[in-house]
Amino acid sequence: NRTLAPACDDLDRVGREIDELEHRRAALRAMTSAIVAAAPLLTATAILATIATAGTTASGPVIGVLVLWPLAILELVGTVNEASASVPSLGASARRVLAVLDTPDPAPVSSAEVGVEHRPTISLDHVSARWPHADVDALDATSLRLSPGSHASVVGPSGSGKSTLAAVLVGFLRPRSGSYRVDGNDVGDVIGDDLRRRVTWIQQVPWIADSTVRENLRLADPSASDDELREVLRSVRLDDWFGHLPAGLDSQLGRGGSAMSGGEAQRLALARVLLADHDIVVLDEPTANLDAVTAARVLDTVLDHCDDRTTVLIGHGR
């Protein structure tokens, strides 16, 4: 496309400049490391040469100290050099943390003591909500009533507010207008931790702890036995994956579930749903990364297990 050609050329040029800067940075680091490493050896050699040239005598311990002290300085300087290289990234991380701390809580903790009853009824009445720093509502005048054990399907295109609805239901985001009630109590008067023990949200990209399979599953039920954990993995069709793990339930999943595919991470999150006893389950495109046959089987298993729970299934559609 001729209209895009100049922009592509500019991107290529910027890319080449970035590559060149990275090469220079790497060469500078290599040179600095070489100098730091060579300095103690050169210093010790110079000290020994000076002693020999001057014709003076020195005891073994004195010579040892004179030779080894540059090595001690190397260890100190090397540590400072490595730390200084991390300063830019640490500064950027600190700014991001401060930005989060300065952001108003979208769902402030309630000072009330209203608990959530088992299997509650939830209702939204013309609820509108928006994310922090947003100028428009992501959810607009939405009404919904879910009695205990009911199932609902919410379908819409990307950007239609489906995930915002899920965030409101679980209490991560407060309505800007309208009302959200749990068993007749305004959600602002409900104890946040109690609400989230009753309502869970399985997101499109679930959170996986940098720990073992066992510990990730026991987040849902700390008392679950190893046999129960293996059974729940079979229920969500993770038995083949589990059978190839090097250490079984003790296998590490890596940071953010790096040892898993997207579909495997989704099924592990669904296994938590089977283990836990949440009253209301919000499933946000829970099988998006699975093939059609596996998705149907896994979803049937989860919905059967949640037959007596309130379930909101969020899907993508036009």
Side-chain angles (χ1 to χ4, degrees), residues 132-174:
H133 306 303
D135 296 326
V136 297
D137 292 333
L139 188 68
D140 183 33
T142 299
S143 297
L144 178 69
R145 178 180 174 83
L146 295 171
S147 56
S150 61
H151 290 191
S153 179
V154 178
V155 179
S158 298
S160 60
K162 303 187 302 296
S163 293
T164 306
L165 171 63
V168 170
L169 290 174
V170 80
F172 288 163
L173 193 64
R174 289 286 170 82

Side-chain angles (χ1 to χ4, degrees), residues 287-300:
T287 58
N289 294 315
L290 304 180
D291 62 84
V293 174
T294 303
R297 291 175 178 173
V298 170
L299 192 57
D300 284 345

Side-chain angles (χ1 to χ4, degrees), residues 228-247:
E228 290 174 319
L229 300 184
R230 295 187 187 96
E231 178 59 33
V232 79
L233 290 174
R234 281 192 291 272
S235 297
V236 295
R237 303 298 193 276
L238 276 178
D239 43 337
D240 286 343
W241 167 80
F242 179 72
H244 290 88
L245 293 180

Side-chain angles (χ1 to χ4, degrees), residues 40 95 113 210 277:
R95 286 191 293 272
E113 297 183 356
D210 185 5
D277 188 32

Side-chain angles (χ1 to χ4, degrees), residues 61-142:
V62 171
I63 293 177
V65 169
L66 291 175
V67 172
L68 292 176
W69 75 264
L71 298 177
I73 293 177
L74 167 64
E75 184 174 355
L76 176 62
V77 173
T79 303
V80 172
N81 184 50
E82 292 176 3
S84 63
S86 303
V87 168
S89 60
L90 290 174
S93 298
R95 286 191 293 272
R96 288 194 294 269
V97 170
L98 291 174
V100 171
L101 293 176
D102 290 339
T103 300
D105 190 345
V109 177
S110 172
S111 60
E113 297 183 356
V114 178
V116 179
E117 297 296 328
H118 187 57
R119 301 293 192 255
T121 295
I122 61 174
S123 60
L124 277 67
D125 184 17
H126 290 85
V127 166
S128 296
R130 67 179 59 174
W131 295 97
H133 306 303
D135 296 326
V136 297
D137 292 333
L139 188 68
D140 183 33
T142 299

